[in-house]
Structure formats: C-alpha cells, structure tokens
C-alpha cells in the first residue's frame, strides 16, 4: 500500500490514514507480544515444536522491525507543498526498532526455557 494524493482532492484524509496505519501496525505487533505468550504459555513451555515456532516467529518479527520503518518511510508522500509538521514527524519517527529487544527477549525465553527443560530431562534419564 502506498498512500498518494494524486487523485484525491482532500489530502488530509491520507495524512490521517498514514499515521493511523503506522499506529495500527505497532498495535498489532504489541498484541502479538501480549497475547501469544499468554495464550500458549503451557504449550510453549511443554512442547518443543511450539517453543521453536514461537522462537522463530519472534526472531522473524525482530529482524523485520529493524528495517520495516526504513523500508516504508519514504513512501509517505508529502501531503502539501511545504509538508506540514505531522508528515515530517511521521517520516522521522516511523520506526519499529524499539520493539526489537522485546521480540528478542520473547524468543530467548521461549527457546531457553524449553532447552532448560530438555536438559533436565536428559540428565534425569542419563542419571537414572
């Protein structure tokens, strides 16, 4: 999706749409961060495949959060001849880098806890 003002006489709507899409995408990432570890807590803690999938999802999101803002920042066209302050602020702050540590921590927790449990199980089996 690329917001443009080419055929729309009222560009204020696109200005609002761009900032709304940015905030919405951040909220979706935040919902994933909040819901998935809570909803699937037991499965992530006990099923190695689920822990690995959760880890991979979080690493994927962390990786894309590093470049997502840079990738789409230039596609927010100026909304007026001398671009207003909201357009400038959106171009300067359209980043997701602050979410990278959150997703990396979730990934480390998911796989780290599972590896710890598997290590304990193996030492119990070998020790017996």
């Amino acid at each position: 999706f690329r917001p443009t003002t080419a055929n729309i006489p009222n560009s204020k709507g696109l200005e609002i749409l761009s900032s709304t899409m940015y905030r919405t995408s951040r909220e979706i990432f935040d919902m994933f961060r909040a819901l998935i570890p809570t909803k699937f807590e037991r499965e992530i803690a006990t099923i190695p495949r689920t822990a690995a999938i959760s880890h991979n999802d979080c690493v994927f999101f962390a990786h894309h959060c590093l470049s997502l803002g840079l990738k789409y920042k230039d596609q927010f066209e100026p909304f007026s001849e001398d671009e207003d302050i909201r357009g400038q602020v959106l171009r300067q702050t359209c980043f997701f880098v602050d979410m990278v540590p959150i997703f990396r921590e979730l990934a480390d927790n998911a796989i780290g806890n599972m590896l710890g449990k598997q290590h304990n199980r193996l030492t119990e089996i070998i020790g017996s």
Side-chain angles (χ1 to χ4, degrees):
F1 176 77
R2 182 177 175 160
T4 180
T5 58
N7 296 324
I8 299 176
N10 182 4
S11 64
K12 285 291 186 192
L14 285 179
E15 178 182 329
I16 293 168
L17 178 64
S18 295
S19 62
T20 301
M21 287 175 47
Y22 170 68
R23 283 193 315 271
T24 302
S25 60
R26 287 188 63 89
E27 289 172 5
I28 289 171
F29 280 129
D30 197 40
M31 281 179 52
F32 178 91
R33 177 207 55 81
L35 293 176
I36 296 300
T38 305
K39 171 82 172 139
F40 298 104
E41 180 179 15
R42 189 165 32 129
E43 291 87 350
I44 291 171
T46 58
I47 303 170
R49 181 175 184 265
T50 306
I53 290 171
S54 176
H55 172 267
N56 288 345
D57 289 346
C58 291
V59 169
F60 177 83
F61 286 145
H63 171 74
H64 284 284
C65 282
L66 286 172
S67 62
L68 196 60
L70 294 173
K71 182 177 180 180
Y72 292 105
K73 180 173 93 167
D74 293 333
Q75 292 187 10
F76 294 115
E77 293 182 3
F79 295 104
S80 64
E81 293 299 318
D82 50 25
E83 187 176 23
D84 68 344
I85 190 68
R86 280 195 256 170
Q88 293 172 3
V89 169
L90 185 61
R91 284 177 185 257
Q92 292 171 0
T93 61
C94 183
F95 292 107
F96 297 86
V97 177
D98 60 316
M99 299 184 119
V100 172
I102 295 168
F103 284 113
R104 286 185 178 165
E105 183 180 350
L106 285 173
D108 290 344
N109 288 343
I111 205 72
N113 293 342
M114 179 51 65
L115 289 175
K117 287 182 181 187
Q118 294 298 317
H119 179 266
N120 291 341
R121 285 183 186 167
L122 288 174
T123 54
E124 286 176 15
I125 292 170
I126 294 172
S128 300

